[in-house]
Amino acid sequence: MNCLQRKLAESLVIFDGAIGTEIYRRNFFVNASFEQLSVTNPDVILDIHRQYLDAGAEVLTTNTFNANARRLGKFGLADQTATINRASAELARQAVREAGLEGSVLVAGSVGPIGEPESAADTRSRDSILVEQLEALAPVVDFIIFESLRTTIDLAAALEAVKAFPELVYVLSFAVDRHAENHSGDGISEFGRLISTFPGQRPTAIGLNCGGGPESTLGELEILVKRTKLPVIVQPNAGQPRGVDGRMIYMTSAEYFSTYAKRYAMLGAAAIGGCCGITPAHIRELARTIKPLMRAEKQELPKVEIVECDLKEPVPLAEKSSLGAKLAAGKFVTSVEITPPRGFDLASTVAGARKCKEAGIDAVNLPDGPRASARISPFAAAVAIQQQVGIETVLHCCCRDKSVIGLQADLLGCAGMGINNILFITGDPPKLGDYPFSSGVFDVDSIGLVKIQSRMNRGIDLGGKSISAPTRAVIGVGADPSAIDLEREYRRTCEKVEAGAEFIITQPVFAIETLFAFLDRIAHLKTPLIAGIWPLVSYRNAEFMKTEVPGVVVPDAVMKRMAAAGTKEEQREAGLEIARESIAAIRDRVQGIQVSAPFGNVDLALRVLK
């Protein structure tokens, strides 16, 4: 096993971002050779490497993307090819050495496409030009990464050059479109055929770099992971600017980038970094949010072991609550999701719940610290609403913040206060919220917590102790019909129902066909499903939902309708109509609708259901 294989096997690996972008930001312009700066201005390149290391990069890429004789020849530097490549590799090594990270941070020698000859006098073969660059890089770096391979010609040249280095550790990284093809129509399939028939040393990993930005790269990755067993390295660029309120804005903020990085990780990416436009700030946010998540995912959550003892008969669903009675009878139910406030004044929350009751809504849904935010206890909000308004609540119970001891105490508190409709969720990790330094508990996940509540519904706690009388919780769980890994989502949904779930509420649904496909898949579970609906309030809100919220798919047709609406009022009305049309389309396939009150706008949510 080589050094890169070991690194990729340990955990998800963080690569650095762009070198050229950082050079340009330091007032060096494109009429100069950026690669020559490794010789003429080494402190600039060294500083860039240091910033990426400080941001958390575990692989540094050398400043050699265009350091081949043909590209350097445009600046009259072809005779300095070996010097520039060695100097660039030594600078990356120096940065690692100075940081005391030898052995834990790898250096990758960047090799870009050769380019077309400038004149008929340039008769050297592509692979011989690459061999010259590799001879300078290979003795210094840990591995070679052939970047931005766009054509089969580029790939064939790289593979031919590799033959001269039988022990070379290398990566092949492709720049393709969202359909995993290049401009000539060649794609991952053709690239894969060339690699599979290559008689020499195979690549340790393959990658995707550059492309059309984080969102486009996600589509490419979905295709690639299904067609290779090699580890995949993902390095998107910052994409193209978009028009927002008359301004051209680059949407790839550090937070946006890390959101997509999480999706890459969920799809199975072995390493994530960045290409053109991705800066140390992006890599810092990537390392801050993704690495802790991947460590947590590699840890097995404790199994919920129930001590066997005498179990009481559970209370029938129809007798647990009004919502449970309607679900048991197969009646259509409605709820409105109201997020508890960040402060402690519940007046507006109670007032919103009162509007829901007057409108004939069945229940008010109360999230528990969504996106790892700190808000008033949803339990306190539920008690206030039920006592002051007289409408039932659906209380979220999150695994993130409490041990199984605290969670059981809360569930007993719910039973004592008559809060009988509970939605069990695993919860967003603290690293994604306002308090990244906070520790998530996660003694169990939502499946384990459902098992605990199901047992308490039969009069026994996790330790096998009698709680005198069975609790009367109506057990709900979440589901994501648009999940990137649908097989995992389907499996977990089945496990939740097997554990005792009595109803399901989905993420906001915009792609109707996706919901229908999920419903068909889980039809055998015979579990009531309530579809989530989010009324879009503006085009910007639609863009946020499409690009920033994992688990939500906003179709292009919806985006076009929102974009076509002119004023903010017209955009709000368009979002309202889209929500109503969605409900009309799915009403016969689901047993209820939950409408979110966007930004606390309960009136808008009620207009959707009117």
Side-chain angles (χ1 to χ4, degrees):
M1 182 178 287
N2 62 52
C3 61
L4 179 58
Q5 286 174 320
R6 285 194 296 273
K7 191 77 173 173
L8 296 174
E10 289 172 0
S11 69
L12 187 142
V13 178
I14 305 297
F15 274 54
D16 60 7
I19 299 290
T21 300
E22 292 304 295
I23 293 173
Y24 187 79
R25 288 175 60 193
R26 288 161 170 78
N27 298 317
F28 293 92
F29 301 106
V30 292
N31 59 350
S33 168
F34 282 5
E35 285 69 24
Q36 189 190 24
L37 295 177
S38 295
V39 176
T40 60
N41 295 78
D43 289 345
V44 171
I45 307 304
L46 189 59
D47 181 61
I48 293 171
H49 289 320
R50 287 168 175 161
Q51 288 202 24
Y52 278 121
L53 284 176
D54 185 59
E58 299 168 305
V59 174
L60 290 185
T61 309
T62 59
N63 178 37
T64 53
F65 180 77
N66 283 324
N68 64 71
R70 182 171 290 173
R71 299 279 192 182
L72 291 174
K74 295 179 181 180
F75 301 95
L77 301 171
D79 61 339
Q80 296 187 40
T81 297
T83 299
I84 289 172
N85 277 279
R86 281 196 297 269
S88 297
E90 289 294 351
L91 286 172
R93 276 273 172 239
Q94 181 181 340
V96 173
R97 189 166 53 249
E98 289 178 349
L101 295 172
E102 292 176 287
S104 60
V105 172
L106 302 183
V107 173
S110 172
V111 177
I114 298 302
E116 298 302 320
E118 291 287 299
S119 67
D122 185 355
T123 58
R124 291 184 62 184
S125 66
R126 291 172 181 265
D127 57 280
S128 68
I129 294 173
L130 287 176
V131 167
E132 180 184 12
Q133 186 177 7
L134 293 177
E135 285 176 339
L137 283 175
V140 185
V141 302
D142 293 299
F143 66 95
I144 296 294
I145 180 166
F146 293 95
E147 297 188 279
S148 298
L149 296 171
R150 298 180 184 274
T151 67
T152 52
I153 294 174
D154 290 331
L155 174 58
L159 292 174
E160 188 64 27
V162 165
K163 290 180 180 178
F165 304 87
E167 304 299 321
L168 187 70
V169 179
Y170 70 99
V171 174
L172 300 170
S173 186
F174 305 103
V176 291
D177 64 18
R178 65 174 59 247
H179 303 295
E181 295 182 346
N182 60 25
H183 296 300
S184 302
D186 293 329
I188 294 299
S189 296
E190 180 61 15
F191 294 148
R193 186 190 66 78
L194 288 175
I195 295 170
S196 65
T197 57
F198 178 58
Q201 171 79 357
R202 298 292 176 85
T204 294
I206 58 176
L208 295 167
N209 76 283
C210 209
E215 191 272 336
S216 175
T217 301
L218 180 65
E220 300 161 20
L221 180 61
E222 288 179 311
I223 295 171
L224 180 58
V225 294
K226 296 176 182 177
R227 301 185 182 181
T228 183
K229 294 182 179 179
L230 290 173
V232 178
I233 299 167
V234 185
Q235 297 175 281
N237 64 23
Q240 299 298 317
R242 298 184 183 182
V244 179
D245 288 348
R247 294 186 177 92
M248 297 305 292
I249 297 175
Y250 280 92
M251 303 300 289
T252 307
S253 65
E255 293 76 16
Y256 175 98
F257 176 65
S258 65
T259 297
Y260 270 91
K262 182 182 178 185
R263 301 182 189 185
Y264 303 151
M266 290 171 63
L267 272 178
I272 305 172
C275 198
C276 311
I278 299 301
T279 70
H282 292 85
I283 300 304
R284 185 181 304 278
E285 184 67 14
L286 169 66
R288 183 183 75 84
T289 59
I290 298 301
K291 289 295 286 187
L293 293 184
M294 302 321 296
R295 285 197 295 269
E297 286 192 10
K298 285 185 174 291
Q299 297 173 357
E300 287 287 332
L301 287 172
K303 299 285 186 183
V304 176
E305 299 293 343
I306 304 293
V307 178
E308 290 300 330
C309 49
D310 293 333
L311 297 172
K312 300 179 175 64
E313 281 297 313
V315 176
L317 176 60
E319 299 175 17
K320 292 178 179 179
S321 70
S322 296
L323 181 67
K326 293 192 76 169
L327 291 173
K331 295 181 179 179
F332 195 84
V333 300
T334 57
S335 71
V336 171
E337 181 175 278
I338 303 176
T339 302
R342 290 186 181 274
F344 58 84
D345 187 354
L346 284 168
S348 62
T349 304
V350 171
R354 185 168 286 109
K355 290 180 180 180
C356 292
K357 179 177 174 60
E358 292 168 353
I361 303 302
D362 293 304
V364 171
N365 196 293
L366 296 168
D368 184 0
R371 297 184 70 80
S373 59
R375 296 174 179 272
I376 192 171
S377 164
F379 176 78
V383 171
I385 288 171
Q386 293 198 172
Q387 290 183 349
Q388 297 178 38
V389 179
I391 186 174
E392 286 191 346
T393 58
V394 177
L395 177 67
H396 289 207
C397 185
C398 174
C399 302
R400 176 187 58 235
D401 303 314
K402 295 183 179 181
S403 69
V404 291
I405 298 172
L407 288 169
Q408 288 181 101
D410 283 353
L411 297 180
L412 291 171
C414 288
M417 298 303 294
I419 300 170
N420 292 333
N421 307 308
I422 306 177
L423 185 76
F424 294 96
I425 59 172
T426 299
D428 296 318
K431 301 298 181 185
L432 295 183
D434 301 326
Y435 306 93
F437 50 82
S438 179
S439 299
V441 180
F442 297 114
D443 269 359
V444 290
D445 62 5
S446 57
I447 298 171
L449 194 50
V450 166
K451 290 179 180 179
I452 293 173
Q453 180 65 81
S454 181
R455 229 33 185 215
M456 293 176 79
N457 277 358
R458 302 188 69 180
I460 301 296
D461 71 3
L462 177 61
K465 304 295 184 181
S466 172
I467 56 174
S468 70
T471 56
R472 307 166 68 91
V474 180
I475 301 174
V477 293
D480 180 5
S482 300
I484 292 175
D485 189 343
L486 277 173
E487 285 303 315
R488 178 178 183 272
E489 188 68 16
Y490 168 71
R491 172 177 54 78
R492 285 182 59 83
T493 300
C494 291
E495 290 176 2
K496 290 173 184 179
V497 173
E498 182 181 356
E502 295 169 299
F503 71 97
I504 299 167
I505 298 181
T506 73
Q507 288 273 60
V509 172
F510 294 97
I512 305 303
E513 294 305 319
T514 301
L515 173 64
F516 287 169
F518 186 72
L519 285 169
D520 290 341
R521 189 76 186 276
I522 67 168
H524 66 283
L525 299 178
K526 300 187 185 304
T527 304
L529 184 139
I530 300 170
I533 296 291
W534 178 284
L536 298 168
V537 297
S538 66
Y539 178 74
R540 181 175 292 183
N541 179 218
E543 273 217 306
F544 177 84
M545 297 295 288
K546 180 179 178 67
T547 61
E548 300 280 357
V549 182
V552 175
V553 173
V554 184
D556 291 341
V558 171
M559 297 300 298
K560 289 178 181 178
R561 284 183 63 178
M562 294 300 295
T567 66
K568 289 185 178 180
E569 178 62 31
E570 289 171 340
Q571 291 179 14
R572 186 164 55 249
E573 291 301 312
L576 182 65
E577 285 305 310
I578 291 169
R580 286 174 172 167
E581 290 168 9
S582 296
I583 292 175
I586 67 178
R587 187 181 179 95
D588 292 340
R589 295 288 307 274
V590 299
Q591 200 173 327
I593 296 293
Q594 174 191 282
V595 180
S596 297
F599 312 108
N601 193 334
V602 174
D603 292 328
L604 184 61
L606 294 177
R607 287 182 64 195
V608 173
L609 291 167
K610 189 173 181 180

